[in-house]
Amino acid sequence: MLRRNSMKKDDRIVLYSFILTVFVVWLHAGEPLFSFVPGQIAVPGFFALSGYLFMRGLPGNSGDALGRSRIIDKMKRRVHTLVIPYLAWNTIYFVIYLAAGKATLAELPEAVLLYRCNPVFWYMFQLILITIISPVIYFIMKKGRAAALLLLAVIYALAVFYAKLPFHYCNEDALFYYALGGYLSLASSLTEDAQRGRIAQDRSSSATGTYLPLALTVAAAAAFLLVRNLLAPALYNISEIGYRAAGAAACWFAVSLVCDRYAERSGGAFPVQPWMRINFFVYATHYMVIRAVWALEQAAGLNGSQTANIITYLAMPAICISAAYGLSLVMKKYAPKTYSVLTGGR
């Protein structure tokens, strides 16, 4: 009998993050082939995962002192995992742009603080802003389900009507995905105390149970798409946010199902490979790799070929991951401290 603790939760998170990273690379690769479905759920999935991880291990309705202590610890860790890598990579991209004559020294503050030379880091910028207000989200949600659902409804409404707001700096729909992931983390009782008190259950029953949420979230995503594109285009914001959230959730349940089935058949955890664990490094480097690949294709005179473009596009995740993994191995060996800073110790 396989028990619940035979499958590492972190392996599911790594695999989910890896799949989303592949989607992000395709989203930024410059062709629309896969941007419509996978690309639209990749970033919401990452925001939801970030919220889930921030709330994981925090106490529920009790333990205010413990909650404050863990919040402080989490905020300190995110200085190393978010703020320092954000500033470091923005500086690197600025130096590259400066050397290429595409930036000036006067643009240094904007480039480092506001990702001017590193546009894909808008996600990091928003995540830092949202992390700053994460304690507020937590202390509201821990009051109970009613408070949590009310907060989610308010954030959803802000995301829907963002264009009419007099001022908004934080990305409202990103905040919704993050808060939703945090709520699911708290609601599922995935705290250290709850894990210690959980009774082990048969793995097969757990695996069977994942079919229903997968089917429901896929159906929800399809329904939101139908509303957005055919039935009520005027409700675009409402249906778009719902589609992205449901799609990201469906991807998570699909990953869980794959891991469950693998564990049932092999008796062990899904074989997560080392190159699947460098997702942040892939994210941080893929922008320059993509630009280099398309430049090489253009130099070779192949950019006019639709077949060559599609092949390059499909292969782009493998190219970006291979480049990042090779560079990570070199840096871990010859510059481990620098690599640690650039990856936030991941």
Side-chain angles (χ1 to χ4, degrees), residues 142-318:
K142 73 186 292 291
K143 299 298 182 182
R145 179 174 296 179
L149 293 178
L150 178 60
L151 177 63
L152 287 172
V154 170
I155 297 174
Y156 196 102
L158 290 175
V160 170
F161 298 105
Y162 75 96
K164 298 181 180 180
L165 296 178
F167 174 81
H168 57 91
Y169 200 59
C170 179
N171 190 301
E172 290 85 0
D173 63 322
L175 179 60
F176 173 74
Y177 308 131
Y178 184 96
L180 180 61
Y183 168 72
L184 294 176
S185 181
L186 291 174
S188 62
S189 301
L190 289 178
T191 63
E192 295 173 3
D193 294 338
Q195 286 176 339
R196 283 195 293 268
R198 178 179 291 156
I199 299 175
Q201 297 179 8
D202 181 66
R203 189 61 177 167
S204 61
S205 63
S206 174
T208 303
T210 61
Y211 280 111
L212 180 58
L214 175 59
L216 290 176
T217 49
V218 169
F224 279 119
L225 274 179
L226 182 64
V227 171
R228 186 191 71 175
N229 295 329
L230 297 176
L231 300 181
L235 301 178
Y236 184 90
N237 284 348
I238 294 176
S239 53
E240 180 72 1
I241 296 170
Y243 156 66
R244 291 175 178 178
C251 184
W252 169 258
F253 288 125
V255 167
S256 295
L257 186 60
V258 169
C259 292
D260 285 345
R261 286 294 174 255
Y262 185 90
E264 282 183 352
R265 294 173 182 174
S266 67
F270 187 88
V272 175
Q273 303 300 313
W275 42 270
M276 295 180 178
R277 298 184 180 275
I278 60 164
N279 296 308
F280 178 78
F281 199 60
V282 175
Y283 163 70
T285 58
H286 80 280
Y287 181 65
M288 66 176 77
V289 174
I290 288 173
R291 292 172 69 88
V293 170
W294 286 124
L296 288 174
E297 183 173 298
Q298 183 176 9
L302 298 174
N303 61 308
S305 169
Q306 185 176 3
T307 300
N309 288 345
I310 292 176
I311 292 174
T312 302
Y313 178 77
L314 291 175
M316 198 66 80

Side-chain angles (χ1 to χ4, degrees), residues 1-280:
M1 177 183 294
L2 291 173
R3 298 193 180 276
R4 224 177 246 280
N5 57 8
S6 65
M7 177 64 194
K8 292 182 179 179
K9 288 289 183 182
D10 285 347
D11 286 346
R12 298 188 187 207
I13 291 172
V14 170
L15 183 58
Y16 181 65
S17 180
F18 173 76
I19 292 173
L20 294 183
T21 299
V22 171
F23 291 168
V24 166
V25 172
W26 271 329
L27 180 64
H28 294 151
E31 294 284 342
L33 192 60
F34 284 107
S35 62
F36 179 67
V37 177
Q40 293 300 309
I41 67 174
V43 177
F46 272 123
F47 276 118
L49 182 59
S50 296
Y52 177 92
L53 293 175
F54 187 90
M55 300 298 177
R56 189 174 65 168
L58 295 178
N61 294 328
S62 60
D64 287 346
L66 179 62
R68 285 192 292 269
S69 174
R70 289 182 177 174
I71 284 285
I72 292 173
D73 183 58
K74 284 176 178 286
M75 297 296 282
K76 288 180 179 178
R77 287 204 304 269
R78 275 152 181 77
V79 171
H80 297 283
T81 60
L82 290 178
V83 178
I84 293 177
Y86 172 80
L87 297 175
W89 280 107
N90 284 346
T91 301
I92 290 173
Y93 274 91
F94 170 75
V95 171
I96 294 174
Y97 270 65
L98 185 66
K102 296 183 178 181
T104 64
L105 286 175
E107 296 170 311
L108 175 61
E110 185 179 359
V112 174
L113 299 177
L114 297 178
Y115 59 90
R116 181 185 179 279
C117 300
N118 188 12
V120 298
F121 261 42
W122 75 268
Y123 164 80
M124 289 283 286
F125 179 76
Q126 289 296 325
L127 187 55
I128 290 171
L129 293 181
I130 294 173
T131 300
I132 292 173
I133 62 175
S134 290
V136 177
I137 297 174
Y138 164 67
F139 282 110
I140 292 176
M141 286 189 169
K142 73 186 292 291
K143 299 298 182 182
R145 179 174 296 179
L149 293 178
L150 178 60
L151 177 63
L152 287 172
V154 170
I155 297 174
Y156 196 102
L158 290 175
V160 170
F161 298 105
Y162 75 96
K164 298 181 180 180
L165 296 178
F167 174 81
H168 57 91
Y169 200 59
C170 179
N171 190 301
E172 290 85 0
D173 63 322
L175 179 60
F176 173 74
Y177 308 131
Y178 184 96
L180 180 61
Y183 168 72
L184 294 176
S185 181
L186 291 174
S188 62
S189 301
L190 289 178
T191 63
E192 295 173 3
D193 294 338
Q195 286 176 339
R196 283 195 293 268
R198 178 179 291 156
I199 299 175
Q201 297 179 8
D202 181 66
R203 189 61 177 167
S204 61
S205 63
S206 174
T208 303
T210 61
Y211 280 111
L212 180 58
L214 175 59
L216 290 176
T217 49
V218 169
F224 279 119
L225 274 179
L226 182 64
V227 171
R228 186 191 71 175
N229 295 329
L230 297 176
L231 300 181
L235 301 178
Y236 184 90
N237 284 348
I238 294 176
S239 53
E240 180 72 1
I241 296 170
Y243 156 66
R244 291 175 178 178
C251 184
W252 169 258
F253 288 125
V255 167
S256 295
L257 186 60
V258 169
C259 292
D260 285 345
R261 286 294 174 255
Y262 185 90
E264 282 183 352
R265 294 173 182 174
S266 67
F270 187 88
V272 175
Q273 303 300 313
W275 42 270
M276 295 180 178
R277 298 184 180 275
I278 60 164
N279 296 308
F280 178 78

